[in-house]
Coordinates of all heavy atoms in Angstrom, one line a residue:
G225 N -33.0 -115.5 75.8 CA -32.4 -114.2 75.9 C -31.3 -114.0 74.9 O -30.7 -115.0 74.5
D226 N -31.0 -112.8 74.6 CA -29.9 -112.6 73.6 C -28.6 -112.5 74.4 O -28.6 -112.5 75.6 CB -30.1 -111.3 72.8 CG -29.9 -110.0 73.7 OD1 -29.9 -110.1 74.9 OD2 -29.6 -108.9 73.1
N227 N -27.5 -112.5 73.7 CA -26.2 -112.6 74.3 C -25.8 -111.4 75.2 O -25.0 -111.5 76.1 CB -25.1 -112.8 73.2 CG -25.2 -114.1 72.5 OD1 -25.7 -115.1 73.1 ND2 -24.7 -114.2 71.3
T228 N -26.4 -110.3 74.8 CA -26.1 -109.1 75.6 C -27.0 -109.0 76.9 O -26.8 -108.1 77.7 CB -26.4 -107.8 74.8 OG1 -27.8 -107.7 74.5 CG2 -25.6 -107.9 73.5
K229 N -28.0 -109.9 77.0 CA -28.9 -110.0 78.1 C -29.7 -108.7 78.2 O -30.2 -108.3 79.3 CB -28.1 -110.2 79.5 CG -27.4 -111.5 79.5 CD -26.8 -111.8 80.8 CE -26.1 -113.2 80.8 NZ -25.5 -113.5 82.1
T230 N -29.9 -108.0 77.1 CA -30.8 -106.8 77.1 C -32.2 -107.1 76.6 O -33.1 -106.3 76.7 CB -30.2 -105.7 76.3 OG1 -29.9 -106.1 75.0 CG2 -28.9 -105.2 76.9
V231 N -32.3 -108.3 75.9 CA -33.6 -108.6 75.3 C -34.0 -110.1 75.7 O -33.2 -111.0 75.6 CB -33.6 -108.5 73.8 CG1 -35.0 -108.8 73.2 CG2 -33.1 -107.2 73.3
V232 N -35.2 -110.2 76.2 CA -35.8 -111.6 76.4 C -36.9 -111.8 75.5 O -37.8 -110.9 75.3 CB -36.2 -111.7 77.9 CG1 -37.0 -113.0 78.1 CG2 -35.0 -111.6 78.8
Y233 N -36.9 -113.0 74.8 CA -37.9 -113.3 73.8 C -38.9 -114.3 74.4 O -38.5 -115.2 75.1 CB -37.3 -113.8 72.6 CG -36.3 -112.9 72.0 CD1 -34.9 -113.1 72.2 CD2 -36.7 -111.8 71.2 CE1 -34.0 -112.2 71.6 CE2 -35.8 -111.0 70.6 CZ -34.4 -111.2 70.8 OH -33.5 -110.3 70.2
L234 N -40.1 -114.2 74.0 CA -41.1 -115.2 74.2 C -41.6 -115.7 72.9 O -42.3 -115.0 72.2 CB -42.3 -114.7 75.1 CG -43.4 -115.7 75.4 CD1 -42.8 -116.8 76.4 CD2 -44.6 -115.1 76.1
Q235 N -41.2 -116.9 72.5 CA -41.6 -117.5 71.2 C -42.9 -118.2 71.5 O -43.0 -119.2 72.3 CB -40.6 -118.4 70.7 CG -41.0 -119.1 69.4 CD -41.1 -118.2 68.2 OE1 -40.3 -117.3 68.0 NE2 -42.2 -118.4 67.4
M236 N -44.0 -117.9 70.7 CA -45.3 -118.5 70.9 C -45.7 -119.2 69.6 O -45.9 -118.5 68.6 CB -46.3 -117.5 71.4 CG -45.9 -116.7 72.6 SD -47.1 -115.5 73.2 CE -47.3 -114.4 71.8
N237 N -45.9 -120.5 69.7 CA -46.3 -121.3 68.5 C -47.6 -121.9 68.8 O -48.1 -122.0 69.9 CB -45.2 -122.3 68.2 CG -43.9 -121.8 67.9 OD1 -43.7 -120.7 67.2 ND2 -42.8 -122.4 68.3
S238 N -48.3 -122.4 67.7 CA -49.5 -123.0 67.8 C -50.5 -122.3 68.6 O -51.2 -122.8 69.5 CB -49.4 -124.5 68.3 OG -48.5 -125.2 67.5
L239 N -50.6 -121.0 68.4 CA -51.5 -120.1 69.2 C -52.9 -120.5 69.1 O -53.4 -120.9 68.1 CB -51.2 -118.7 68.8 CG -49.9 -118.1 69.4 CD1 -49.6 -116.8 68.6 CD2 -50.0 -117.8 70.8
K240 N -53.6 -120.3 70.2 CA -55.0 -120.6 70.3 C -55.8 -119.3 70.8 O -55.2 -118.4 71.4 CB -55.2 -121.7 71.4 CG -54.4 -122.9 71.3 CD -54.6 -123.8 72.5 CE -53.7 -125.1 72.4 NZ -53.9 -125.9 73.5
P241 N -57.1 -119.3 70.5 CA -57.8 -118.1 71.0 C -57.7 -117.9 72.5 O -57.7 -116.7 72.9 CB -59.3 -118.5 70.6 CG -59.1 -119.3 69.3 CD -57.9 -120.1 69.6
D242 N -57.5 -118.9 73.2 CA -57.4 -118.8 74.7 C -56.1 -118.1 75.1 O -55.9 -117.7 76.2 CB -57.4 -120.2 75.4 CG -58.8 -120.6 75.7 OD1 -59.7 -119.8 75.6 OD2 -59.0 -121.8 76.2
D243 N -55.1 -118.0 74.1 CA -53.9 -117.3 74.4 C -54.1 -115.7 74.3 O -53.1 -115.0 74.6 CB -52.8 -117.7 73.4 CG -52.4 -119.2 73.6 OD1 -52.3 -119.6 74.8 OD2 -52.2 -119.9 72.6
T244 N -55.2 -115.3 73.9 CA -55.5 -113.9 73.8 C -55.4 -113.2 75.1 O -56.0 -113.6 76.1 CB -56.9 -113.6 73.2 OG1 -56.9 -114.1 71.8 CG2 -57.2 -112.2 73.2
A245 N -54.5 -112.2 75.2 CA -54.3 -111.5 76.5 C -53.3 -110.4 76.3 O -52.7 -110.2 75.2 CB -53.7 -112.5 77.5
V246 N -53.2 -109.6 77.3 CA -52.1 -108.6 77.3 C -50.9 -109.3 78.0 O -51.0 -109.9 79.1 CB -52.4 -107.3 78.1 CG1 -51.2 -106.4 78.2 CG2 -53.6 -106.6 77.5
Y247 N -49.7 -109.3 77.3 CA -48.6 -110.0 77.8 C -47.6 -108.9 78.4 O -47.3 -107.9 77.7 CB -47.9 -110.8 76.6 CG -48.6 -112.0 76.3 CD1 -49.9 -112.0 75.7 CD2 -48.1 -113.3 76.7 CE1 -50.5 -113.2 75.4 CE2 -48.8 -114.4 76.4 CZ -50.0 -114.4 75.7 OH -50.7 -115.6 75.5
Y248 N -47.1 -109.2 79.6 CA -46.2 -108.3 80.3 C -44.9 -109.0 80.6 O -44.9 -110.2 80.9 CB -46.8 -107.9 81.6 CG -48.1 -107.2 81.6 CD1 -49.3 -107.9 81.6 CD2 -48.2 -105.8 81.5 CE1 -50.6 -107.2 81.5 CE2 -49.4 -105.1 81.5 CZ -50.6 -105.9 81.5 OH -51.8 -105.2 81.4
C249 N -43.8 -108.3 80.6 CA -42.6 -108.8 81.1 C -42.3 -108.1 82.5 O -42.7 -107.0 82.7 CB -41.4 -108.8 80.2 SG -40.9 -107.1 79.7
M250 N -41.7 -108.8 83.3 CA -41.3 -108.3 84.6 C -39.9 -108.8 85.0 O -39.6 -110.0 84.8 CB -42.3 -108.8 85.7 CG -42.2 -108.3 87.1 SD -41.1 -109.3 88.1 CE -42.3 -110.4 88.7
A251 N -39.2 -107.9 85.5 CA -37.8 -108.2 85.9 C -37.7 -108.1 87.4 O -38.1 -107.2 88.1 CB -36.8 -107.2 85.3
H252 N -37.1 -109.2 88.0 CA -36.7 -109.1 89.4 C -35.3 -108.5 89.4 O -34.3 -109.0 88.8 CB -36.5 -110.5 90.0 CG -37.8 -111.2 90.1 ND1 -38.6 -111.2 91.3 CD2 -38.5 -112.0 89.3 CE1 -39.7 -111.9 91.2 NE2 -39.7 -112.4 90.0
T253 N -35.1 -107.4 90.1 CA -33.9 -106.7 90.3 C -33.5 -106.7 91.8 O -34.3 -107.0 92.6 CB -33.9 -105.3 89.7 OG1 -34.5 -104.4 90.7 CG2 -34.6 -105.2 88.4
I254 N -32.3 -106.3 92.0 CA -31.8 -106.3 93.4 C -32.5 -105.3 94.2 O -32.4 -105.3 95.5 CB -30.3 -106.1 93.4 CG1 -29.9 -104.7 92.8 CG2 -29.5 -107.2 92.8 CD1 -28.4 -104.4 93.0
V255 N -33.2 -104.4 93.6 CA -33.9 -103.3 94.3 C -35.5 -103.5 94.2 O -36.2 -102.7 94.8 CB -33.5 -101.9 93.9 CG1 -32.1 -101.7 94.3 CG2 -33.8 -101.7 92.4
G256 N -35.9 -104.5 93.5 CA -37.4 -104.7 93.4 C -37.8 -105.2 92.1 O -37.0 -105.6 91.2
H257 N -39.1 -105.2 91.9 CA -39.7 -105.7 90.6 C -40.0 -104.5 89.7 O -40.4 -103.4 90.1 CB -41.1 -106.3 90.9 CG -41.0 -107.5 91.8 ND1 -42.1 -108.1 92.4 CD2 -39.9 -108.3 92.2 CE1 -41.7 -109.1 93.1 NE2 -40.4 -109.2 93.1
V258 N -39.8 -104.7 88.4 CA -40.0 -103.7 87.4 C -40.9 -104.4 86.3 O -40.6 -105.5 85.9 CB -38.7 -103.2 86.7 CG1 -39.0 -102.2 85.6 CG2 -37.8 -102.6 87.8
W259 N -42.0 -103.7 85.9 CA -42.9 -104.2 84.9 C -42.8 -103.3 83.6 O -42.6 -102.1 83.7 CB -44.3 -104.1 85.4 CG -44.7 -105.1 86.5 CD1 -44.5 -104.9 87.9 CD2 -45.2 -106.4 86.3 NE1 -44.9 -106.0 88.5 CE2 -45.4 -107.0 87.6 CE3 -45.6 -107.1 85.2 CZ2 -45.9 -108.2 87.8 CZ3 -46.2 -108.4 85.4 CH2 -46.3 -108.9 86.7
G260 N -43.1 -104.0 82.5 CA -43.2 -103.3 81.3 C -44.7 -102.9 81.1 O -45.5 -103.2 82.0
Q261 N -45.0 -102.2 80.0 CA -46.4 -101.6 79.9 C -47.3 -102.7 79.2 O -48.5 -102.4 79.2 CB -46.3 -100.4 79.0 CG -46.3 -100.7 77.5 CD -45.0 -101.2 77.0 OE1 -44.0 -101.3 77.7 NE2 -44.9 -101.7 75.7
G262 N -46.8 -103.8 78.7 CA -47.6 -104.8 78.1 C -47.8 -104.7 76.6 O -47.6 -103.6 76.1
T263 N -48.1 -105.8 76.0 CA -48.3 -105.8 74.6 C -49.5 -106.8 74.3 O -49.6 -107.9 74.9 CB -47.1 -106.2 73.8 OG1 -47.3 -106.1 72.4 CG2 -46.6 -107.6 74.1

């Protein structure tokens, strides 16, 4: 995560065809779960 805690990174190395997918981030908050739209 960055110092401001506004961005979380997923560094992916040595990628394989099996890593092909839609990747989503999800945040646990005090009022529930929030999902992004995916990439």
Side-chain angles (χ1 to χ4, degrees):
D226 73 340
N227 290 336
T228 65
K229 298 186 178 181
T230 58
V231 185
V232 171
Y233 302 101
L234 183 67
Q235 177 66 43
M236 307 185 296
N237 299 323
S238 302
L239 284 162
K240 306 173 183 179
D242 272 354
D243 296 318
T244 295
V246 178
Y247 284 72
Y248 300 89
C249 64
M250 186 268 274
H252 292 268
T253 77
I254 60 174
V255 294
H257 301 164
V258 179
W259 289 87
Q261 83 288 350
T263 186

